[in-house]
Amino acid sequence: MSNANDSPRRARSLVQHIERIERWLRTNPVKVGVLVALLMLVTMLVQEEIDEHLWLVFTYAFPVALAGYGLGFRGGAVAALVATALLYDHAIHTLGTKDTVFVLTTRLAGSLAVAGLCALASATARARERYIARHARLAKIQEEFLAAFAHDIRSPLNAILGYASILQEEAEEGSGLSRGELFEALQRIEANALHVEEMIAGMLRADGGDGAVRNEVTTFTADALIDELRRELDPVVLEHGAPVTWTVAPGTPELVTDRKKLHSVLRNLVGNALKYARGAPIAVSVRWDAPTARHQIEVRDEGPGISPEALPRLFDRFYRAAGRDAEDGFGLGLFIVKRMIEMIGGDVSVHSELGEGSRFLLTFPQLRGEEAVAEEAKAS
Ligand code: ADP
């Protein structure tokens, strides 16, 4: 017994069947060619039995439809019209001759040409579909990329604008900021501008000019660096509500390296931990590894972890692990981390399992100057 729901269901299943056939036609150009050739052979064998006009329709309807579909409707329709007229004319004349071999040969050649044309139409349809899909994918990536970049660049720019207006007020009205506070505002402007510069350099895969490649080696304590990072990341920590513990192992010597580069490496790693760990605890620890004469800084979180498939590509430019679209970003952070840590002669590695959190480990030597970097680069 049929009910009211049957008709839409039947219509849907009919559409699905048509789609399946259409997909088959599009993805099997050779088989389409063979099928059309067989179809024409069969109709040729039965041509004496049926009306000539009907025979023409049977023979050419399918190839003509296919050519129309594959070569685009306008081009296909014109080709089909011309071909049908020629074939009709050809059929009328050859049917009248007594030379069966001639008739069969020309008919066979014509049929093979039509079959070839159909195979070509099928291949063209497939190529056109691929082109349209690729174009749509590229347009989507471009749009998402621009949106993400605009979003990411906005927060350092806002910070720069905010501090600049504080300094402007101070210059105009003298709002009573101490020297230390003025110095800090300037430092924040510099750090945020550097962040923007890194993002642009990372995006262009440029080295950011000589200045960014050359190391500015200074000596500073791990505590001073941590203090600076803490103050900068405080608002983000508050926003994510994740407890962050910072520890410096006793006996850690002063660091002799490019402070700005190390700062941005850590800002990226801790920023990621805050972003992805969604409130789970984060621990940053600094120690000195005497046997290798390298500093080791570990950034560990108890977040969702990273899948084994994502791990090998994690430091690639623009790589984002699947399912991370909910978080801001466009896959540049870890690319920048790797580039910067290598510039100071160091290395970064990651250990992570899904559900087990992530652990990023930085190791880097004391630098004495540019020669030390050159030696490190040679050794690696
Ligand atoms: P972005 O954060 O802009 O996506 P990154 O290069 O910083 O780009 O990170 C690349 C990918 O690595 C992220 O998309 C994310 O999937 C993964 N990832 C990085 N850090 C963590 C982390 N601490 N926990 C889980 N996944 C992480």
Side-chain angles (χ1 to χ4, degrees):
M1 210 171 72
S2 70
N3 63 40
N5 286 336
D6 274 0
S7 308
R9 203 177 307 132
R10 247 183 260 131
R12 225 176 300 128
S13 104
L14 182 70
V15 170
Q16 278 169 358
H17 280 310
I18 294 173
E19 279 175 355
R20 219 168 291 141
I21 294 171
E22 195 247 12
R23 201 173 315 125
W24 187 87
L25 289 175
R26 204 177 338 113
T27 46
N28 295 288
V30 176
K31 284 184 192 159
V32 165
V34 173
L35 180 76
V36 171
L38 281 177
L39 190 85
M40 297 187 89
L41 193 71
V42 171
T43 52
M44 221 163 84
L45 294 176
V46 298
Q47 73 178 73
E48 301 296 334
E49 316 297 327
I50 52 176
D51 173 77
E52 191 185 308
H53 293 96
L54 206 60
W55 172 82
L56 269 175
V57 171
F58 274 140
T59 313
Y60 296 115
F62 177 57
V64 162
L66 240 162
Y69 157 72
L71 298 175
F73 282 104
R74 259 186 250 154
V78 173
L81 268 178
V82 174
T84 315
L86 285 175
L87 288 166
Y88 185 79
D89 181 59
H90 167 80
I92 301 298
H93 286 92
T94 49
L95 282 175
T97 66
K98 295 269 172 288
D99 188 347
T100 339
V101 176
F102 173 74
V103 172
L104 282 178
T105 318
T106 49
R107 184 66 54 77
L108 206 63
S111 300
L112 283 178
V114 173
L117 188 74
C118 287
L120 180 74
S122 158
T124 312
R126 182 159 60 151
R128 191 174 54 212
E129 187 199 45
R130 278 200 191 138
Y131 174 79
I132 291 169
R134 196 173 318 138
H135 188 77
R137 212 169 40 240
L138 278 178
K140 189 164 174 276
I141 288 174
Q142 199 175 26
E143 198 178 297
E144 283 174 1
F145 174 76
L146 279 177
F149 186 68
H151 179 280
D152 276 23
I153 214 162
R154 204 167 285 148
S155 66
L157 280 182
N158 282 340
I160 292 173
L161 287 173
Y163 285 111
S165 79
I166 293 175
L167 291 180
Q168 210 172 348
E169 237 170 71
E170 172 66 20
E172 280 169 9
E173 301 160 19
S175 50
L177 290 182
S178 67
R179 254 177 92 80
E181 285 168 329
L182 284 175
F183 187 65
E184 190 177 332
L186 284 168
Q187 264 187 331
R188 296 275 177 107
I189 290 182
E190 191 190 19
N192 281 290
L194 202 77
H195 190 182
V196 174
E197 189 196 34
E198 277 163 25
M199 286 170 73
I200 294 173
M203 195 174 78
L204 300 174
R205 200 192 278 253
D207 289 326
D210 267 2
V213 181
R214 207 177 300 129
N215 289 318
E216 273 177 42
V217 181
T218 55
T219 304
F220 53 95
T221 63
D223 288 317
L225 179 71
I226 285 177
D227 259 8
E228 195 178 79
L229 279 160
R230 250 185 160 147
R231 266 180 285 133
E232 189 179 333
L233 289 168
D234 262 356
V236 194
V237 173
L238 275 179
E239 181 192 331
H240 291 271
V244 187
T245 357
W246 306 81
T247 45
V248 179
T252 303
E254 284 187 320
L255 294 99
V256 186
T257 187
D258 187 318
R259 183 171 176 158
K260 283 183 194 158
K261 290 202 177 96
L262 188 57
H263 178 114
S264 67
V265 164
L266 284 169
R267 189 189 48 221
N268 273 303
L269 289 182
V270 180
N272 271 354
L274 285 164
K275 183 161 69 168
Y276 294 109
R278 300 187 200 115
I282 296 163
V284 184
S285 54
V286 185
R287 60 183 167 268
W288 171 251
D289 185 50
T292 54
R294 283 163 95 89
H295 287 285
Q296 293 188 344
I297 304 186
E298 189 183 86
V299 179
R300 188 194 280 264
D301 67 63
E302 293 176 25
I306 300 162
S307 69
E309 306 85 62
L311 282 175
R313 300 190 51 205
L314 216 60
F315 296 95
D316 289 357
R317 200 164 69 126
F318 301 138
Y319 179 75
R320 306 202 73 200
R324 292 289 148 80
D325 298 345
E327 285 89 5
D328 300 324
F330 54 115
L332 266 186
L334 292 181
F335 171 75
I336 291 173
V337 163
K338 192 163 169 60
R339 255 182 72 237
M340 296 240 170
I341 196 75
E342 284 175 354
M343 279 183 206
I344 58 171
D347 210 354
V348 55
S349 58
V350 54
H351 301 272
S352 183
E353 270 176 49
L354 281 178
E356 298 292 319
S358 310
R359 181 177 151 240
F360 286 85
L361 181 68
L362 301 167
T363 68
F364 54 95
Q366 300 285 50
L367 293 180
R368 286 174 307 276
E370 282 305 302
E371 309 81 36
V373 184
E375 274 165 30
E376 281 293 329
K378 255 187 266 155
S380 64

